[in-house]
Amino acid sequence: MERSGQDKNEALYLNVQARGAVLQDTVQTAIVHALQTLPIAKMMHYQVKQVDGTLEDVQFARPAHRIVALHGSTPLQVHALGINAANQTEGHRFLAPSVLTIGNADQYAAELLKNKVMANFNERRASIEAELLKAANGDTVLMPSNLLDEVTALVEWPTVYACHFDAEFLEVPQECLILTMQTNQKYFALTDAAGKLRNRFLIVSNIETATPQSIIQGNERVVRPRLSDARFFFQQDQKRPLSSRVADLDKVVYHNQLGTQLERTKRVGAIATAIATDLQSKGSAVNPKQVARAAELAKTDLLTDMVGEFPELQGIMGSYYAAHDGEDAEVAAACSEHYQPRFAGDALPSSMTGTVLAIADKLETLVGIWGVGLAPTGDKDPYALRRHALGICRLLLEKNLSCSLPELLELARAQFKQPGVQEKADPAAIYVFVIDRLRAYLRDQTETGKPFTTAEIDAVLSQEPKQLNDLMDRLRAVREFNALPESAQLAAANKRISNILKKTTTPIPSQCSAVALKLPAEIALHGALQKAVPLLDAAYAQRQFVTLLRTLVDLSQPLEEFFADVMVMDPDPALRDNRLALLQQLHHQMNLVADLGTLA
């Protein structure tokens, strides 16, 4: 036992030498545990006949035939999935169908490679990606990571072939065709330089052959009915306008405590219209009537055949169908854009109608789900409230919208008439939750390649800002202020003033009386403050935050002399209260942009 450090930093250390575990004694447990913890959604149940003739019940993704377990050249005694491990495996089922004996564990990958099996997942994935790009012949390959991973796991010796489908299917929205090929067939779609879908696609086969015509024709034959289904859904959906589906939303339950999708649509519409009206009164180019119409139609595509088959297309199909119905262009775009941003880093809506509707939709979800007691806990967030909160922040900040976040939360809460929802949906608690997501977002932002510090972010957010659209300007101003020679002294003084005011239990006068000032230092500080106030207020009104913080530099010397020569908590109550009033007024002016005390 050893002791280190002193006082609060004192610690005790115990040095223990643990004997290493014997591989043969632990490998069985380790392998079984690893197999049991694989993230396999659906297990196959089957039986494996043992040497003594008995049948062993096994659960795994697919029946396993062999297990290789070697330590160097020594086979390990392992039994798993009904199989006894050995040093033998097999090559590619068709290209090299032979039993291989692995002499050494280090030779495993090389021996399989000789027999047309690329064992390393990352190497196989890289090979597929390279072959896809080569076969694209200048076109863009759509290869989302999840699809690339899935295809990599399906093949041993990947070979890419190019196939075609009839050009007549291109009349269907390309998102439908792409999703059909990716989801159902694991194909890779191709687009031209303008992003338009080609009627050519790529497949990754597990067979390498000089005569791949039958493979190509087979895949082309298989994809045709899939694309035909997509075209049928699209044509059928267009026979009925979205507006005729609004009433049917009342048949779809949104949440058992929050009512139907029609009730939700009405709540979103009320929130969106109120936001649009407020922004319009402030000079923003947004049409409340368009916003109301978009809110009415936004969820109707959930009732279409295409979205029923491919839920990932919700919103996207709404935009196509709204345009087909002759709806206003912004209304049609908002049917899709109101889901944005769908994930971190996603694009924001391009139209004001889509922007306002996106805010309203996320507010309704956030407040409603919070109001039924399903606020995120730990890593559990089934309704993606963290994503919705961040989306609201990004929309307000990046779109430069002068909306009050507390007022938006209160507006959303007022739309819920269900018992108990308004009581549980505490706007103050939700505000803190949203600001926490904003804090994480701001940490990832940079200015001239340098991320903002935690102190800079806390200085701005500790003021509990109601509007978020000027946060970046405030952060930039705080960063510039922090680089000034006088910033450290001003920040320390501000923190000292905060502590004095917090400890004061008696009421502080709202104004400092100039005639009651006695000492030269307090008279000088009051004079400097009175001179600075008009400049500070004017700079704040014009959102010139850098100018405002630079103006505070003139208060640095008077402040230093004040604390050197003046006893704030004077025994004379009149003197004490007057000095506290002076500090309170000074504190307010110093913290218009941010709480500078957090920089101390």
Side-chain angles (χ1 to χ4, degrees), residues 2 8 192 205 274 306 411 458 477 492 500 512 533 541 582:
E2 299 179 9
K8 292 183 178 180
D192 61 18
S205 174
M306 185 70 81
L411 169 65
D458 288 345
I500 292 172
C512 171
V533 165
L582 174 60

Side-chain angles (χ1 to χ4, degrees), residues 86-99:
N87 61 347
Q88 290 185 326
T89 187
E90 298 177 22
H92 192 286
R93 184 178 180 183
F94 300 109
L95 303 178
S98 58
V99 177

Side-chain angles (χ1 to χ4, degrees), residues 232-241 245 303-307 317 321:
F232 174 76
F233 292 146
F234 181 59
Q235 293 172 342
Q236 289 298 112
D237 288 339
Q238 287 180 314
K239 293 179 180 180
R240 184 181 175 188
R245 302 176 187 269
L303 303 173
T304 62
D305 292 338
M306 185 70 81
V307 175
M317 297 314 302
Y321 295 145

Side-chain angles (χ1 to χ4, degrees), residues 173-227:
Q174 65 182 46
E175 292 90 346
C176 307
L177 305 180
I178 292 169
L179 196 60
T180 296
M181 288 189 283
Q182 291 178 345
T183 304
N184 294 323
Q185 303 303 131
K186 317 306 175 191
Y187 296 158
F188 293 87
L190 296 171
T191 62
D192 61 18
K196 186 178 180 181
L197 184 66
R198 297 282 199 187
N199 68 319
R200 193 168 68 96
F201 60 95
L202 302 178
I203 66 169
V204 179
S205 174
N206 200 35
I207 298 291
E208 182 184 39
T209 175
T211 55
Q213 287 76 15
S214 59
I215 296 175
I216 294 172
Q217 291 171 2
N219 282 276
E220 291 176 343
R221 185 170 58 252
V222 168
V223 80
R224 182 178 177 83
R226 294 291 190 182
L227 301 183

Side-chain angles (χ1 to χ4, degrees), residues 256-325:
N256 60 356
Q257 297 181 60
L258 297 175
T260 65
Q261 282 287 2
L262 181 59
E263 292 175 282
R264 181 178 185 231
T265 293
K266 291 178 179 178
R267 290 193 295 266
V268 172
I271 298 168
T273 304
I275 296 173
T277 302
D278 176 59
L279 289 174
Q280 188 185 54
S281 69
K282 298 173 181 176
S284 179
V286 60
N287 187 330
K289 290 184 179 179
Q290 288 182 344
V291 170
R293 181 61 171 172
E296 183 181 20
L297 300 178
K299 301 300 180 184
T300 52
D301 69 342
L302 297 175
L303 303 173
T304 62
D305 292 338
M306 185 70 81
V307 175
E309 180 72 14
F310 299 110
E312 300 93 333
L313 292 176
Q314 58 185 282
I316 295 172
M317 297 314 302
S319 289
Y320 278 109
Y321 295 145
H324 175 267
D325 296 343

Side-chain angles (χ1 to χ4, degrees), residues 493-530:
N494 187 71
K495 186 174 183 179
R496 184 174 179 181
I497 295 171
S498 297
N499 291 334
I500 292 172
L501 295 177
K502 286 177 183 177
K503 293 177 181 178
T504 302
T505 57
T506 57
I508 301 174
S510 59
Q511 294 294 328
C512 171
S513 172
V515 297
L517 297 171
K518 301 298 183 183
L519 300 177
E522 59 183 333
I523 295 173
L525 178 59
H526 180 265
L529 179 59
Q530 292 303 107

Side-chain angles (χ1 to χ4, degrees), residues 23 29 85 181 194 205 248 335 386 412 433 518 531 594:
L23 179 63
T29 303
M181 288 189 283
S205 174
D248 294 341
C335 289
R386 293 187 178 95
F433 172 76
K518 301 298 183 183
K531 182 180 178 182

